[in-house]
Amino acid sequence: MPVQVQGELFGTLSVAGKGDGGQFSDADLHLVRILATEAGIALSNARLHSAARQRRRWIDGAASITTALLAGPETGSTTANALTVVAEKGRELAEAATGAVLLPHAEGGMEVVAISTALSEAVRTEAYRGRIPPRSPVVHQIDAGLAVFSDDFADDPRSVSPISRHYGPAMLLPLRSSGRVLGALALCRMSGDRRFSHTERTLGTQFAAQAAVALVLADRHRDRERLAVFEDRDRIARDLHDLVIQRLFATGMLLETARRKALVPEVREGVGQAVDELEATIQEIRTAIIALQQGPPEAPPGLRTRVLREAGAATAALGTRPSVRFTGPVDTRVDDKGARELLAALREALADVTAPAPAPAPSRAPARVEIAVDVTAPLPDGRPGIRLTVTGPDGAGRPLIWERPLRGGCDA
């Protein structure tokens, strides 16, 4: 008796050898027909339940991807970590040996940027080093927003990937959002494993589309967070400039008036030192304001930022951060070569200042070093130049002065 599941032949129920040795009656045949029908219904329900459970797994997986990518830095909000999360979750849902995310290469074609695999570390390394060339039909199909399915990826003529020889059934699903293809999600099983069913292909395609949306949302979420940080830094910089510096300047003017009216020389000298300290503090606050207004880390740092980094690196040896003062448009008037030479001279000067200095006694204040970069200083021959001045702790010894002429074309 045929067993049918949703109108398709699933198998045959055969009954042979009646117990009493007689013939099967019409009643027996009717009972077997009922049994076959009930078996078909049970198998159909089991398939529907399995498909529903499988669909729920993929839907829950897509939701977890979105939650993980938008949850914040604790779950790894960088782009590399986000792509790894997509590869790992896709591999888990598809019950595949390898899940990988491919993005367009700068020279054309596609490259693996994130991978999750049960294979050896050598295969992982080979995947990162390899590249799918632009001539590959797979790349053309992905760029068109179409999925690529293969029952044997190793022997598929469309595949020219260096690691395709390790796999059998495979799906390459476009990561597409708002009509733009961001890359592809590759889900591969080992040779000899079962093929991806029609349902798995459909669910995988939907998962890739949801993952692409989650990646775009995560990028925008991180952009908003960075924008909030930069806006906060701009606010702090404005407050320092409009409030703190103005109050310090007003205090300096009051002290300058008090110094002129002072009759005792020691008092005049002490007030003068306080005025000098206030001026130095104002310069340091202005330097801090410039540092707060620097661009994002992805942007190439200017000379100001690099000088401040060198000063920060010398803080541990000096016991206090060096005072840094800039004069003129440092970032626009100094070219790359001049900046490299200046930074080399600054490192050498800081090394000379910190190396021979004895360890400060517990009762003494940390040694103070002053760094000044001036791009408006004329050289002895009258040409415009760059001047770096590094003054040792508490002004001891002669200051190091490094000068170079401004090269043509570097003045913006």
Side-chain angles (χ1 to χ4, degrees):
M1 189 64 60
V3 178
Q4 293 186 345
V5 178
Q6 296 177 346
E8 297 180 358
L9 181 63
F10 179 82
T12 303
L13 174 62
S14 300
V15 178
K18 193 170 176 66
D20 56 5
Q23 298 295 321
F24 287 106
S25 64
D26 291 341
D28 294 332
L29 182 62
H30 181 67
L31 289 174
V32 173
R33 182 180 290 113
I34 293 175
L35 181 60
T37 302
E38 292 293 337
I41 294 173
L43 289 170
S44 178
N45 290 336
R47 278 188 174 183
L48 291 174
H49 178 71
S50 177
R53 185 172 55 188
Q54 185 181 44
R55 187 173 291 105
R56 185 169 59 251
R57 285 180 61 248
W58 282 91
I59 293 174
D60 291 344
S64 67
I65 284 288
T66 305
T67 302
L69 298 185
L70 298 180
E74 293 79 6
T75 55
S77 60
T78 64
T79 302
N81 287 339
L83 297 177
T84 301
V85 169
V86 172
E88 290 177 348
K89 198 65 181 180
R91 174 195 166 198
E92 175 189 342
L93 293 172
E95 299 177 354
T98 296
V101 175
L102 298 90
L103 295 182
H105 192 273
E107 300 177 0
M110 305 190 79
E111 62 177 341
V112 175
V113 295
I115 187 170
S116 172
T117 181
L119 275 64
S120 65
E121 188 64 28
V123 175
R124 181 191 298 269
T125 303
E126 184 181 7
Y128 279 121
R129 291 178 178 175
R131 178 168 68 96
I132 303 178
R135 71 176 187 276
S136 170
V138 170
V139 173
H140 292 299
Q141 198 161 346
I142 292 295
D143 288 341
L146 302 175
V148 178
F149 303 107
S150 176
D151 292 336
D152 190 358
F153 205 44
D155 293 334
D156 196 320
R158 297 174 299 175
S159 172
V160 291
S161 171
I163 62 170
S164 60
R165 67 182 185 275
H166 299 286
Y167 302 111
M171 298 190 295
L172 278 82
L173 312 169
L175 296 171
R176 185 174 182 177
S177 176
S178 301
R180 183 168 64 97
V181 177
L182 308 177
L185 172 63
L187 303 174
C188 307
R189 289 173 176 166
M190 301 299 295
S191 297
D193 287 353
R194 63 181 179 86
R195 298 181 299 174
F196 289 106
S197 65
H198 176 73
T199 301
E200 287 176 322
R201 294 181 177 186
T202 302
L203 293 174
T205 303
Q206 294 172 352
F207 172 81
Q210 180 64 30
V213 173
L215 289 172
V216 172
L217 291 177
D219 283 340
R220 293 179 179 176
H221 180 68
R222 288 189 292 271
D223 290 341
R224 285 195 296 270
E225 289 181 341
R226 284 195 292 265
L227 179 61
V229 170
F230 292 138
E231 289 177 346
D232 198 37
R233 289 169 60 175
D234 288 342
R235 179 187 58 79
I236 295 172
R238 287 195 303 270
D239 290 344
L240 286 174
H241 182 272
D242 297 340
L243 299 177
V244 178
I245 288 184
Q246 297 301 327
R247 290 181 180 178
L248 289 175
F249 187 74
T251 303
M253 293 181 64
L254 291 175
L255 290 174
E256 188 66 32
T257 302
R259 183 177 65 172
R260 289 196 300 267
K261 294 181 179 180
L263 301 178
V264 182
E266 290 79 2
V267 174
R268 284 200 302 270
E269 183 179 356
V271 174
Q273 291 178 355
V275 172
D276 293 339
E277 289 293 328
L278 279 178
E279 291 179 354
T281 302
I282 291 174
Q283 291 295 333
E284 291 179 0
I285 293 177
R286 285 175 175 166
T287 300
I289 292 173
I290 293 171
L292 286 171
Q293 293 173 336
Q294 293 296 322
E298 294 82 2
L303 181 56
R304 291 176 183 268
T305 303
R306 287 182 281 178
V307 170
L308 292 172
R309 288 176 182 173
E310 295 295 334
T315 300
L318 293 171
T320 184
R321 188 180 182 89
S323 171
V324 184
R325 185 174 70 255
F326 297 102
T327 304
V330 174
D331 287 334
T332 58
R333 295 192 59 135
V334 184
D335 60 4
D336 291 338
K337 185 176 181 182
R340 289 194 299 269
E341 293 176 357
L342 186 145
L343 291 171
L346 176 59
R347 294 189 196 101
E348 183 178 353
L350 291 174
D352 292 340
V353 168
T354 57
S363 60
R364 291 183 54 191
R368 175 168 177 169
V369 173
E370 296 182 357
I371 301 171
V373 179
D374 187 356
V375 295
T376 63
L379 300 180
D381 58 5
R383 290 183 299 168
I386 317 164
R387 177 179 297 161
L388 167 68
T389 306
V390 181
T391 306
D394 302 323
R398 297 180 58 187
L400 178 139
I401 299 178
W402 175 91
E403 294 179 329
R404 288 291 186 278
L406 283 172
R407 294 177 174 84
C410 64
D411 186 356

